[in-house]
Amino acid sequence: MDFAGEHVLGVDQFDLAKVERLFEVADRMLPYARRERITRALEGAVCGNLFFEPSTRSRLSFGAAFNRLGGHVRETTGFAFSSMAKGESIHDTSRVVSGYVDVLVVRHPEEGAVAEFAAATRIPVINGGDGPGEHPTQALLDYYTLCRERELRPGSLSGATIAVVGDLKYGRTVHSLTKLLALENDIRFVCAAPPQLQLPDALVAKLRERGHRVEQTGDLADGLREADVVYATRIQQERLPAGLELEGVQERFAIDAALYDRVCRPGTVLMHPLPRDSRNDPNELSNDLNRHPALAIFRQTDYGIPVRMALFALVLGVADEVDTTAREARWYRPERFGPHDTRPMLT
Ligand code: ASP
């Protein structure tokens, strides 16, 4: 099973064997992501991060993951400071940058644009989010987190109830994640959202075709009741069509500690791709859950590093050379990253 030279554009290119290989490599990246060890597997390699849409997590975590493999990162953010502001095509930009770097990570506001970058180059291109389309690496790290939280291997989630909550229509992470989880058998997807933000019909049909159960509800408490995992999402304000009426929706689909304790089964895992929209109170996962052991959102972001390291190592063909160049790291590191973390990092 080899990914060398492949683009990573969408989750449909993954089957269970590929997911297993990726997760097995990600497991081996944990000591590097925990900053216990240093590797130089990608020493001399350069990654180009082209981000044409806002990002904190994806851009920094792709960059840090590449750095932790010993490689360098060059990046450009937004259109204003790139030659696209002078009318350069995706084709030309992609071909030009291919002469500078060994792998490209691209985020773009238009669905399909990252595939256009890929069509114009022979270096691997990784989709860092293409508008309302896909966010495959987020889905892979979500799947990895989910497996680690429930102590399961991919392929053994059969019978699980996954509640997806919030903006299921315009949120690309939920599209990628549900499609990826469709590799499992007999998942029960409970979609809790107002009708105007429900999961697109075509996706519902696809999940059902693959033998999964899909239930839709406009009542949040109903949606949470039997969930093993809750995946909350932000309303994608930047993608909503003008005039869409969403009065009161944020409040009706916000989960706080009282609601969790009242309706969720003990141990229900709480996930979110982040960012939480903290301009309004309550937000999708209230701050009063920050100390709750079920809140996996920062474990999710932490796992983004080993998963993205594994992807880079695989598409550049060095996955089995990471340990041969390793040595111990000596600088200070805390045992837990955050003030409210309930577990040591990346366990
Ligand atoms: N960070 C995720 C994305 O880029 C989720 C979000 O923005 O709500 O799609």
Side-chain angles (χ1 to χ4, degrees):
M1 175 74 48
D2 198 359
F3 293 55
E6 265 191 42
H7 302 303
V8 179
L9 299 177
V11 293
D12 282 342
Q13 72 192 77
F14 285 84
D15 56 18
L16 266 186
K18 274 185 130 175
V19 170
E20 271 171 42
R21 168 76 170 137
L22 176 73
F23 288 7
E24 173 257 312
V25 177
D27 287 348
R28 286 196 277 117
M29 298 297 176
L30 289 170
Y32 304 96
R34 277 198 297 265
R35 305 149 201 195
E36 292 164 2
R37 307 183 78 191
I38 306 166
T39 172
R40 289 189 291 196
L42 284 181
E43 187 171 33
V46 183
C47 168
N49 253 347
L50 305 187
F51 274 67
F52 299 104
E53 236 194 5
S55 170
T56 304
R57 254 157 307 281
S58 301
R59 186 163 61 85
L60 288 180
S61 94
F62 273 115
F66 205 80
N67 290 147
R68 297 228 179 261
L69 286 164
H72 303 281
V73 180
R74 295 270 153 189
E75 48 184 40
T76 164
T77 49
F79 288 98
F81 297 105
S82 82
S83 277
M84 285 190 163
K86 299 182 192 166
E88 187 167 59
S89 66
I90 286 182
H91 174 276
D92 287 5
T93 304
S94 181
R95 171 59 190 88
V96 168
V97 179
S98 309
Y100 306 156
V101 304
D102 302 291
V103 59
L104 259 180
V105 180
V106 184
R107 171 170 288 189
H108 198 282
E110 279 161 40
E111 188 165 353
V114 183
E116 268 188 68
F117 272 89
T121 180
R122 290 186 176 156
I123 65 167
V125 173
I126 300 180
N127 184 356
D130 62 332
E134 281 233 27
H135 197 344
T137 62
Q138 176 74 48
L140 289 163
L141 77 88
D142 290 340
Y143 194 5
Y144 184 76
T145 306
L146 202 155
C147 287
R148 290 198 75 94
E149 291 288 313
R150 307 296 304 195
E151 295 182 11
L152 293 168
R153 298 303 303 169
S156 57
L157 268 64
S158 183
T161 298
I162 313 282
V164 287
V165 177
D167 184 349
L168 312 181
K169 182 164 185 177
Y170 300 100
R172 58 192 170 196
T173 63
V174 100
H175 301 165
S176 291
L177 180 62
T178 51
K179 273 199 270 177
L180 191 59
L181 291 179
L183 293 175
E184 299 278 343
N185 287 318
D186 188 29
I187 300 286
R188 179 172 165 237
F189 292 103
V190 180
C191 307
Q196 60 278 41
L197 296 180
Q198 262 296 352
L199 206 63
D201 292 343
L203 185 47
V204 173
K206 190 168 175 169
L207 297 173
R208 286 188 176 142
E209 254 165 50
R210 297 222 197 138
H212 303 288
R213 288 167 285 165
V214 182
E215 294 161 26
Q216 298 180 308
T217 174
D219 184 290
L220 177 62
D222 251 7
L224 301 185
R225 210 151 264 135
E226 289 168 1
D228 296 298
V229 176
V230 174
Y231 191 85
T233 61
R234 175 181 70 87
I235 295 174
Q236 307 282 296
Q237 299 291 353
E238 68 278 31
R239 299 190 218 291
L240 301 180
L244 186 72
E245 181 43 63
L246 290 177
E247 184 69 34
V249 165
Q250 171 120 22
E251 293 72 30
R252 274 197 291 126
F253 288 87
I255 301 168
D256 62 12
L259 182 65
Y260 182 93
D261 291 339
R262 186 162 58 81
V263 301
C264 290
R265 296 209 290 224
T268 298
V269 179
L270 289 174
M271 297 176 62
H272 189 303
L274 298 185
R276 288 187 274 185
D277 188 345
S278 301
R279 289 169 296 194
N280 301 312
D281 196 28
N283 71 36
E284 305 89 72
L285 289 175
S286 170
N287 290 329
D288 69 4
L289 286 160
N290 283 356
R291 290 169 196 274
H292 203 295
L295 191 77
I297 58 177
F298 299 119
R299 296 194 285 277
Q300 248 173 296
T301 54
D302 291 347
Y303 284 132
I305 295 288
V307 170
R308 291 187 167 119
M309 286 177 78
L311 267 180
F312 282 131
L314 285 163
V315 299
L316 291 173
V318 296
D320 296 321
E321 284 154 43
V322 172
D323 295 331
T324 53
T325 59
R327 66 190 162 89
E328 191 193 331
R330 291 176 185 274
W331 61 82
Y332 163 78
R333 63 188 165 80
E335 200 201 318
R336 298 174 192 210
F337 293 130
H340 309 312
D341 288 10
T342 50
R343 297 186 205 162
M345 60 166 89
L346 291 157
T347 45

